[in-house]
Amino acid sequence: MTDSKYFTTTKKGEIFELKAELNSDKKEKKKEAVKKVIASMTVGKDVSALFPDVVNCMQTDNLELKKLVYLYLMNYAKSQPDMAIMAVNTFVKDCEDPNPLIRALAVRTMGCIRVDKITEYLCEPLRKCLKDEDPYVRKTAAVCVAKLHDINAQLVEDQGFLDTLKDLISDSNPMVVANAVAALSEIAESHPSSNLLDLNPQSINKLLTALNECTEWGQIFILDCLANYTPKDDREAQSICERVTPRLSHANSAVVLSAVKVLMKFMEMLSKDLDYYGTLLKKLAPPLVTLLSAEPELQYVALRNINLIVQKRPEILKHEMKVFFVKYNDPIYVKLEKLDIMIRLASQANIAQVLAELKEYATEVDVDFVRKAVRAIGRCAIKVEQSAERCVSTLLDLIQTKVNYVVQEAIVVIKDIFRKYPNKYESVIATLCENLDSLDEPEARAAMIWIVGEYAERIDNADELLESFLEGFHDESTQVQLQLLTAIVKLFLKKPTETQELVQQVLSLATQDSDNPDLRDRGYIYWRLLSTDPVAAKEVVLAEKPLISEETDLIEPTLLDELICYIGTLASVYHKPPSAFVEGGRGVVHKSLPPRTASSESTESPETAPAGAPSGEQPDVIPTQGDLLGDLLNLDLGPPVGGPPLATSSVQMGAVDLLGGGLDSLMGDEPEGIGGPNFVAPPAAAVPSNLGTSMGSGLSDLFDLTSGVGTLSGSYVAPKAVWLPAMKAKGLEISGTFTRQVGSISMDLQLTNKALQVMTDFAIQFNRNSFGLAPAAPLQVHAPLSPNQTVEISLPLNTVGSVMKMEPLNNLQVAVKNNIDVFYFSTLYPLHILFVEDGKMDRQMFLATWKDIPNENEAQFQIRDCPLNAEAVSSRLQSSNIFTVAKRNVEGQDMLYQSLKLTNGIWVLAELRIQPGNPSFTDLELSLKCRAPEVSQHVYQAYETILKN
């Protein structure tokens, strides 16, 4: 009879009856009663009242009954800790039972009872079981240590269980070894700093021996542990690889992926010239192919992992293209993933096969899949130059089908093909223009508008085509509006006489009738450009476009290396590091591949150009749409207005103007009287009066060190902080700080290369900022920056750059370029680097100015627990150019009256009241007066920083 009868009782006095049955003398009746209790517990009834009666049933030799009681105990021990202590004696006794199954059962249950009071009683039984002669008991006890560590880590360490676990790695039984490794890995994950698994060649040898004989999950634990080991040389790496390779033919896909992870990691250390390296590549392909014959969900996981592997080592699967061809009954998620891998593997050798297949897909019924297939044809054209001709004709055939979504995707990818191969395929534009009316998706409309604007001189009715889009300008998406604005300006610069009205119309739509700040800004910039200097406008808007890159969706190299270390885990399916989706810091350790051996030192990877190649030959990667900094203005038009033309960045770095600093002068700082005959200049962007003060004064402050107190001791320098992490900059990490010494401001940078390729051709530029900070010289990195190399650079700054009020005031946006890409970051500079050396006012002037500044401009602040007296405060502040004008003592309190001046000529006056607190610490009250009150908060922060460091 089945156990279903236990779930069917609904009597009223049930608990009372069960109590009677549990206390029965008959063993059978007892067992039946416990089964009923467990059944009630399973369906959610509260049977905790029976705790003492159930615990009494523990004293039995019947294994089945014992298991049931232990099950009950695990469930209710937490809610009844005082009762649970009654069971401790039985545990202790059961841990010495002659039957190893009972000993193991007792130790397993002990680990599951999460009650602090009980844990210390369980240490002795656990210690005995860890040294038990039966391997089944030892392997159960090993896992129990990890569970106990989770409840009370300190207790486990004090009792020496961790050392016993380490000894179990040398156990004669493979399952005990696997469980010991699993337990230590689990503990090490929650304590990343502890070096529990300090693996050495001897322990690795023991793990590899156990690997062949334990269960599949045991194998996974051991393989994952091996993946965290770094061999001392390539010989050791090769011998480990040789012993792990047989796991590739295992039936369990998890074992296969764990083995692939170990091999991918250790291959980094093998020289590519070795015969073994070639053999290993050949051995890796079949198991990965076999994974694709599993059910769809497993296929998807395998494909996501293969996607990473193909990006790291495309040579592994280069001959296996056919496996990734889509089957008619594949679910959509598998189809899309296969398509992605097909493009990554596309090469000259297999492109004909791939294109035939993609063309077939483009006639399928699944819309998402068809779109991706059409896009894939375009990606193939960009990736394999020899196939471009064939891809374009395939796309034209698809456009002839007149299927709406196919036509739209085709136009989007043809735009990219034009960017990659200029002046080659423009003959197809006529065919594209025929389909103008059928476009209803923003991306396709934007692509078509770009084509019309870019090749306006070849299209007779370009103005009519663009005018047709203007009619519903406000109903279009932002992407289309921005594209239309640029296209009409291009058209105007190519055919100025015919399109005067059209360009006026679009500029007023974009600037006066639009709520979108991006669109307005771009409209104003074009308007000012056209009204100021049409020749410059032509150079900007019709500039040579950078070539499009091969693969724009590759994973960034440092992230890819980290993900390779997580093959076979969720991270490899999400393509994100665990820190991105695991909440809390527990268990998230950043992993990376071992450094390559000297013999195979090669900065070339299949996707990157040789590092030594001159930057002129390398195709630039297009900045993404979201990069507003690198968006529009990749050209410099001369030095900023409002200061003498110093040797600033804009002069020496015209070729690499990253933020378009030169054009900022057109946004409101322009000289009067500019404007073409047909253009009405738009209203100038207002500059706050206090920040528009003459830049010249700032310049004289920088170099005039005769006046004021020119102390040689520099002002306080904050420790370097990471401004741009390597994860966000394709392997380039930038740390830095700001200093001011003897009137010179500098940005002290530390550049570290954490990528796998050499970095060269560095340049830097600042966006406009509140105080006009700008580089006074180019960023000079004298030698190429090799992988894992760090270089320290001091970049001199001046304050004669373009000014724009930032939020917060001391925000600085920086762009750094190297041979890989352009990277953007922002940082906050401490205001005291802008305090100039001639900032000491005379007393009369101080009094007059203090009275003259309105009272509402006064701000009060408190600086608590300052460890200095009045003398020390005064001298400490003076070294950062905050000067004491006068000092007096009022009712036992010291009062300091101080002045400072910023590089742009703004004066700040301060009254500092020093209240003697306890002997070692004083509290300070600071009152600040300034004509530009928004500066006060930042000056207070400078005071606090200087006095407390």
Side-chain angles (χ1 to χ4, degrees):
M1 191 178 172
T2 65
D3 286 344
S4 58
K5 60 179 181 185
Y6 300 114
F7 292 89
T8 56
T9 124
T10 52
K11 291 177 192 158
K12 277 199 175 145
E14 192 177 8
I15 297 281
F16 184 74
E17 286 177 21
L18 284 172
K19 204 177 183 75
E21 286 176 30
L22 286 169
N23 293 319
S24 157
D25 299 338
K26 294 181 181 155
K27 276 188 183 173
E28 256 332 288
K29 210 163 187 184
K30 250 188 192 172
K31 195 157 92 182
E32 292 293 301
V34 173
K35 281 186 180 177
K36 284 181 192 168
V37 171
I38 297 292
S40 301
M41 183 177 89
T42 310
V43 296
K45 288 183 187 165
D46 181 14
V47 282
S48 53
L50 299 168
F51 201 94
D53 307 285
V54 177
V55 171
N56 283 337
C57 300
M58 276 172 84
Q59 315 288 346
T60 173
D61 316 329
N62 185 321
L63 189 60
E64 188 186 3
L65 181 55
K66 218 177 227 341
K67 276 185 179 174
L68 291 169
V69 174
Y70 277 175
L71 197 62
Y72 177 88
L73 204 60
M74 281 185 232
N75 200 31
Y76 282 117
K78 196 151 192 150
S79 58
Q80 309 252 352
D82 300 336
M83 292 279 196
I85 290 184
M86 293 163 43
V88 168
N89 286 336
T90 317
F91 279 135
V92 176
K93 218 166 91 190
D94 280 356
C95 285
E96 293 174 7
D97 195 277
N99 182 347
L101 290 176
I102 288 182
R103 296 203 294 275
L105 181 65
V107 82
R108 178 181 296 130
T109 312
M110 273 161 38
C112 295
I113 293 181
R114 304 179 61 83
V115 176
D116 278 341
K117 287 183 181 175
I118 297 186
T119 14
E120 50 220 57
Y121 294 114
L122 307 181
C123 294
E124 266 327 297
L126 181 57
R127 187 174 283 110
K128 282 181 187 157
C129 289
L130 281 166
K131 299 209 164 39
D132 199 284
E133 76 266 12
D134 192 287
Y136 181 73
V137 181
R138 290 201 300 277
K139 89 175 179 68
T140 312
V143 177
C144 186
V145 173
K147 289 178 176 171
L148 198 59
H149 189 274
D150 196 33
I151 303 167
N152 189 339
Q154 198 53 50
L155 181 73
V156 170
E157 285 158 31
D158 297 346
Q159 293 282 345
F161 288 145
L162 294 181
D163 297 327
T164 318
L165 263 189
K166 288 180 192 170
D167 296 343
L168 288 184
I169 289 184
S170 318
D171 199 279
S172 55
N173 184 291
M175 266 324 293
V176 178
V177 176
N179 276 20
V181 166
L184 283 170
S185 306
E186 177 78 17
I187 294 170
E189 264 190 11
S190 55
H191 292 65
S193 51
S194 65
N195 190 14
L196 287 177
L197 277 160
D198 57 344
L199 299 168
N200 50 39
Q202 292 73 36
S203 56
I204 289 292
N205 193 23
K206 287 169 185 158
L207 291 183
L208 287 164
T209 311
L211 184 62
N212 300 323
E213 296 166 39
C214 54
T215 65
E216 48 199 29
W217 293 112
Q219 291 181 27
I220 292 168
F221 287 132
I222 291 177
L223 287 168
D224 285 349
C225 179
L226 288 173
N228 293 329
Y229 174 63
T230 307
K232 60 179 189 295
D233 54 23
D234 52 347
R235 298 251 312 271
E236 190 184 358
Q238 181 175 336
S239 85
I240 294 176
C241 287
E242 283 168 351
R243 294 177 70 179
V244 167
T245 314
R247 297 299 108 216
L248 291 173
S249 52
H250 200 285
N252 184 321
S253 50
V255 176
V256 175
L257 281 177
S258 293
V260 168
K261 170 167 63 183
V262 175
L263 297 174
M264 285 291 291
K265 198 167 174 185
F266 290 177
M267 273 169 91
E268 284 293 307
M269 299 188 68
L270 302 179
S271 159
K272 290 190 174 180
D273 317 331
L274 281 177
D275 294 341
Y276 179 68
Y277 183 84
T279 319
L280 196 52
L281 283 180
K282 287 197 190 93
K283 282 186 177 166
L284 274 169
L288 292 173
V289 170
T290 310
L291 290 177
L292 297 182
S293 52
E295 51 268 38
E297 293 79 7
L298 285 181
Q299 270 187 59
Y300 178 71
V301 172
L303 286 165
R304 292 293 280 174
N305 281 280
I306 289 170
N307 200 329
L308 296 175
I309 293 165
V310 165
Q311 286 183 55
K312 185 71 186 164
R313 299 197 184 281
E315 61 271 32
I316 293 178
L317 288 159
K318 65 180 177 195
H319 301 305
E320 302 292 346
M321 177 63 88
K322 278 196 167 154
V323 200
F324 299 105
F325 285 175
V326 169
K327 298 191 182 79
Y328 76 96
N329 59 350
D330 280 340
I332 181 72
Y333 55 88
V334 170
K335 285 181 177 174
L336 295 177
E337 206 55 43
K338 281 185 173 176
L339 209 49
D340 211 28
I341 294 170
M342 274 167 69
I343 298 160
R344 296 210 193 288
L345 291 175
S347 63
Q348 215 177 322
N350 57 23
I351 194 73
Q353 221 183 353
V354 172
L355 272 181
E357 194 71 14
L358 291 176
K359 193 172 177 184
E360 196 65 39
Y361 300 162
T363 58
E364 288 267 344
V365 288
D366 191 318
V367 178
D368 284 341
F369 181 50
V370 173
R371 284 175 181 279
K372 187 104 177 200
V374 176
R375 212 158 266 220
I377 297 173
R379 279 173 67 188
C380 287
I382 290 166
K383 188 172 182 197
V384 185
E385 190 166 344
Q386 297 76 5
S387 75
E389 186 93 37
R390 189 183 283 157
C391 291
V392 171
S393 65
T394 306
L395 288 168
L396 287 176
D397 292 348
L398 291 170
I399 288 176
Q400 296 309 336
T401 62
K402 300 287 186 203
V403 177
N404 187 315
Y405 54 86
V406 175
V407 174
Q408 310 214 47
E409 287 295 333
I411 286 175
V412 173
V413 293
I414 286 176
K415 178 201 76 171
D416 289 343
I417 294 173
F418 286 168
R419 287 287 305 268
K420 176 75 174 170
Y421 309 110
N423 306 320
K424 242 181 165 176
Y425 301 109
E426 281 79 357
S427 54
V428 308
I429 290 176
T431 319
L432 303 183
C433 290
E434 290 166 17
N435 295 285
L436 209 64
D437 302 336
S438 64
L439 307 179
D440 53 15
E441 289 168 18
E443 201 176 358
R445 287 171 79 84
M448 192 66 225
I449 292 168
W450 182 85
I451 292 169
V452 175
E454 190 66 17
Y455 302 104
E457 68 280 9
R458 304 179 191 210
I459 304 169
D460 302 333
N461 61 340
D463 48 347
E464 290 170 27
L465 295 177
L466 291 176
E467 201 166 353
S468 68
F469 283 104
L470 259 192
E471 288 157 13
F473 186 77
H474 289 303
D475 304 330
E476 300 284 6
S477 72
T478 308
Q479 183 183 6
V480 178
Q481 290 176 333
L482 287 167
Q483 201 56 265
L484 191 52
L485 174 62
T486 305
I488 291 177
V489 172
K490 283 181 188 170
L491 175 66
F492 171 71
L493 291 168
K494 290 174 182 177
K495 305 179 178 179
T497 46
E498 303 141 51
T499 52
Q500 184 81 52
E501 282 178 25
L502 188 62
V503 78
Q504 286 268 251
Q505 191 186 345
V506 77
L507 285 174
S508 70
L509 279 171
T511 53
Q512 287 160 20
D513 307 345
S514 168
D515 299 335
N516 185 311
D518 294 345
L519 186 62
R520 270 208 314 269
D521 286 356
R522 193 183 288 196
Y524 276 128
I525 285 174
Y526 284 156
W527 199 331
R528 288 183 180 280
L529 264 178
L530 293 169
S531 59
T532 312
D533 186 351
V535 180
K538 211 162 193 165
E539 285 180 27
V540 173
V541 181
L542 302 179
E544 200 61 29
K545 305 282 178 294
L547 287 182
I548 203 162
S549 75
E550 309 273 302
E551 298 254 356
T552 44
D553 60 342
L554 288 172
I555 291 175
E556 191 270 315
T558 41
L559 174 58
L560 181 62
D561 288 351
E562 188 176 352
L563 292 177
I564 292 287
C565 302
Y566 285 110
I567 283 179
T569 67
L570 259 184
S572 68
V573 179
Y574 287 155
H575 287 190
K576 288 179 181 174
S579 52
F581 59 86
V582 175
E583 283 193 4
R586 182 196 150 104
V588 176
V589 188
H590 281 294
K591 300 184 180 182
S592 61
L593 295 178
R596 293 199 69 81
T597 48
S599 56
S600 60
E601 189 70 63
S602 155
T603 53
E604 274 188 63
S605 74
E607 299 86 14
T608 53
S615 60
E617 295 167 21
Q618 277 183 288
D620 290 321
V621 176
I622 293 184
T624 57
Q625 189 71 37
D627 281 338
L628 286 174
L629 295 176
D631 182 20
L632 244 186
L633 306 166
N634 281 341
L635 207 82
D636 201 6
L637 302 176
V641 174
L646 285 182
T648 61
S649 54
S650 58
V651 180
Q652 288 149 318
M653 291 168 41
V656 287
D657 191 329
L658 310 176
L659 295 168
L663 291 179
D664 297 336
S665 56
L666 299 170
M667 289 294 294
D669 304 340
E670 70 200 81
E672 302 266 323
I674 294 178
N678 301 314
F679 270 85
V680 185
V687 176
S689 57
N690 57 311
L691 296 180
T693 325
S694 151
M695 286 276 122
S697 70
L699 190 67
S700 61
D701 292 340
L702 269 178
F703 297 105
D704 177 18
L705 301 181
T706 49
S707 61
V709 187
T711 47
L712 279 170
S713 62
S715 61
Y716 166 72
V717 180
K720 285 194 178 78
V722 176
W723 287 339
L724 182 66
M727 293 285 284
K728 290 188 177 167
K730 302 190 179 173
L732 172 66
E733 182 173 281
I734 301 180
S735 308
T737 186
F738 294 89
T739 60
R740 180 186 184 95
Q741 281 184 323
V742 202
S744 305
I745 306 173
S746 54
M747 182 190 238
D748 293 348
L749 296 167
Q750 178 175 310
L751 308 180
T752 307
N753 179 358
K754 296 191 174 180
L756 296 175
Q757 69 190 86
V758 174
M759 293 179 178
T760 54
D761 309 326
F762 284 90
I764 192 166
Q765 195 156 354
F766 296 175
N767 200 2
R768 297 189 296 165
N769 53 77
S770 308
F771 294 92
L773 277 176
L779 180 63
Q780 290 179 329
V781 181
H782 294 297
L785 195 59
S786 308
N788 295 321
Q789 189 187 346
T790 298
V791 63
E792 306 253 353
I793 299 154
S794 186
L795 177 74
L797 308 181
N798 58 34
T799 52
V800 296
S802 299
V803 173
M804 178 174 78
K805 187 175 180 184
M806 299 297 282
E807 189 56 53
L809 208 58
N810 56 340
N811 188 10
L812 180 65
Q813 295 178 336
V814 184
V816 173
K817 168 188 168 295
N818 62 14
N819 59 320
I820 299 172
D821 206 343
V822 179
F823 308 108
Y824 304 102
F825 65 88
S826 64
T827 179
L828 301 175
Y829 49 89
L831 213 63
H832 64 260
I833 62 166
L834 303 172
F835 298 172
V836 296
E837 280 64 22
D838 61 346
K840 185 165 186 176
M841 259 188 191
D842 66 37
R843 293 186 177 204
Q844 298 307 320
M845 183 74 175
F846 183 92
L847 272 171
T849 313
W850 185 275
K851 285 177 184 160
D852 193 34
I853 296 174
N855 284 339
E856 56 265 28
N857 282 22
E858 185 172 349
Q860 307 276 352
F861 303 97
Q862 272 211 318
I863 302 171
R864 294 196 175 284
D865 300 334
C866 171
L868 309 169
N869 61 16
E871 285 302 315
V873 165
S874 185
S875 79
R876 172 81 63 93
L877 291 171
Q878 180 150 332
S879 64
S880 288
N881 296 340
I882 300 174
F883 300 99
T884 303
V885 176
K887 179 183 170 188
R888 60 188 184 138
N889 191 293
V890 182
E891 296 170 7
Q893 292 189 346
D894 286 320
M895 310 275 279
L896 300 179
Y897 297 93
Q898 299 179 315
S899 69
L900 61 98
K901 183 170 143 195
L902 299 171
T903 49
N904 60 357
I906 292 178
W907 285 91
V908 181
L909 310 186
E911 178 190 76
L912 193 60
R913 183 189 295 262
I914 299 173
Q915 299 176 319
N918 55 24
S920 52
F921 286 103
T922 49
D923 286 351
L924 314 181
E925 281 182 17
L926 176 67
S927 300
L928 294 175
K929 261 193 168 186
C930 172
R931 295 195 195 279
E934 56 266 56
V935 174
S936 299
Q937 175 66 31
H938 300 281
V939 172
Y940 155 65
Q941 284 165 0
Y943 262 88
E944 190 162 53
T945 309
I946 295 163
L947 292 175
K948 288 196 172 180
N949 289 293

